[in-house]
Structures are given as C-alpha cells and as structure tokens.
Amino acid sequence: MGETMIGIIGGSGVYDIDGLEGAEWRRVESPWGEASDEILFGTLGGVKMAFLPRHGRGHVQSPSSINYRANIDALKRAGVTDVISVSACGSFREEMAPGDFVVVDQFIDRTFAREKSFFGPGCVAHVSVAHPTCPRLGAAVTEAAKAEGIRVHRGGTYLCMEGPQFSSQAESLLYREVWKCDVVGMTNMPEAKLAREAELCYASVAMITDYDSWHPGHDAVDVAAVVAVLSGNAEKARGLVRRLPGLLGPERAPCPHGCDRALEHALITAPAQRAPALLAKLDAVAGRVL
Ligand SMILES: CSC[C@H]1O[C@H](OP(=O)(O)O)[C@H](O)[C@@H]1O
Ligand SMILES: Nc1ncnc2[nH]cnc12
C-alpha cells in the first residue's frame, strides 16, 4: 500500500487552489525542461496535494507551447499518484450546457505540433490508451462534483485541437455530427497520453464554457464568452477539489485498472540496445521497469 498524492492540473481560469495546509510553491527540476510553473504543495484532509497551473500563473503558456512532458515528469518526480485535470471546454451537446461539468473518458487527438511521448530512439515503448482515463478516478471526481451540487455528466469524448484559434463552423459541425464528440479543448492531449506513459492515473473534468461555433442559437465562441463563465466554473472546481481527499484517502492500493502498471509490457527495445542518455531522463517516469 502506497501513499496517495493527488495532482491537480488547473486549466484556464484555475491558477491556484485554496485550503491547503502547509501550502508552498516549489520548483521541481525536470530533465524534460521547464514545467509551466512552480507546483503548489500542501495537504488537504490529511492527503498530500500538488497543484500545477497548466498555463502558468498569469496564463503565459499557449496550448502549443506548454511543455507537457516536463509537467507530467515533474508531477511524477514529486510523488504524485493520481492526476486530475480541470479544463475549460466548448460543448457539442445541447444538454452539456455552459456551467456544467463533464467527466471525460475518451479523446480524439487532433494535435500535431507537440512532443507526445517520453520514449523514442534508444528506448521505444508503446502503451495502450484504449481507455485513456482511469475509471476509479473518474468515479471519485463525479461523486465530488455531485456532492458540490454541480451539474455533472459522466462520460464524454474530448476533441483535442491544436489551436490557438478556435474551430471554424465546418470543423465544429464535423466534430459534433460526424465524429460524435462531446466537448472540445486544446490541452488534454498529449497530457493524458504522457500520464499513461508515466503510469499515473488520469481523469479529466471539462468545465463547459460555450457551445463552440455549431449552435444556431449562440454566437461563435470567443475569449470574452469563455472568461464570463470561467470564474464561476473555477469556484466550482475548487469546491470539487476540496472533496477529493475524502474520497480517495491517504493510502493507495494498486489501481484496479492497471494505470500504475501501464509500462509492464510496453518496452520493446532490447536492453542491450537502450540509449543511456534517454534512460537517465526516464528515471522518474519509467524507473520502475528500467
Ligand atoms: C481561454 S479559452 C481557450 C483555452 O482554454 C482551454 O484551456 P485549458 O484546457 O487549459 O482549460 C483551452 O484548451 C484553451 O487552451
Ligand atoms: N470552444 C472551445 N474550443 C477550444 N477550446 C476551448 N476552451 C473553451 N472553449 C473552447
């Protein structure tokens, strides 16, 4: 039995969390470069917490400039076991209205200008992302949202676009009507894939801010519309986070879905052929199996 450390990745509008005992911002060095910001450490209800603002305090990183590898590596290196992302998203469903939360369970990755793996020449690995989110964590997040009185939908497909521009109406209709996606954002990929490579449980909460640009009864999304809904959503997200320690507890059993053993059969490079420089960088992410 290990110790739980809950990692929260805060998206647009969520640049800190409150109520942590012994709260302290600390930089975590990573061989993968600079994380988006320092990490806020502390405890909540006796459970260790680590909070990282995805875009940095003051929102300085764009979806394409975020160093997702450094962020996930820094969280893993700091001892995080479970990662919960809270993200501002557009909705493709009438019933997933601005102000609602959606506990995402699937992704379509349309990003193309990001580093997507910790592995590569000298140490090749292929993890499964058939089920990219952890159902145990998703259940806890759903329960936390319900306990906070948030309108929450369990399950949904998140279309991750490169951005930074919002979608054209034709893209919005394609994602909604042909691909049957539920929400759209710019950041959960490759974050979720990297969390899986790092053997971290990952859940994602989409905080709906708008109807993107498909809805005949609503203007196409812009930042002003997102920000108008964001502050209320951010308060709800903080309430949700405060409920998590009570639901997850300080002691952590192995993940029943195997997220924490994702690398068990993923490495394919022959041990004698593995590149020492890459292995050194993989110490936190893959040290368990190397
Ligand atoms: C400010 S609107 C677009 C911006 O908001 C979302 O960020 P996050 O996923 O970190 O909450 C979206 O992905 C874009 O980065
Ligand atoms: N409509 C939208 N598209 C992409 N990212 C978003 N973040 C919030 N709303 C969004």
Side-chain angles (χ1 to χ4, degrees), residues 20-40:
L20 293 191
E21 273 174 48
E24 187 191 5
W25 287 93
R26 271 202 327 265
R27 179 156 301 282
V28 176
E29 298 291 334
S30 167
W32 299 94
E34 286 288 308
S36 296
D37 203 334
E38 295 176 332
I39 295 175
L40 178 63

Side-chain angles (χ1 to χ4, degrees), residues 88-90 161 166 184-186 209-210 212 221 226:
C89 287
M161 56 185 291
F166 292 112
V184 58
M186 305 179 190
T209 51
D210 55 83
D212 201 43
V221 60
V226 171

Side-chain angles (χ1 to χ4, degrees), residues 214-225:
W214 63 272
H215 199 302
H218 290 265
D219 289 337
V221 60
D222 60 17
V223 168

Side-chain angles (χ1 to χ4, degrees), residues 11-12 54-55 63 87-88 166 185-187 226:
S12 296
R54 177 186 285 125
H55 301 272
S87 294
F166 292 112
M186 305 179 190
T187 61
V226 171

Side-chain angles (χ1 to χ4, degrees), residues 166-181:
F166 292 112
S167 306
S168 68
Q169 190 179 60
E171 288 167 332
S172 199
L173 289 167
L174 170 77
Y175 302 153
R176 167 184 151 79
E177 290 176 8
V178 186
W179 292 3
K180 309 289 181 201
C181 299

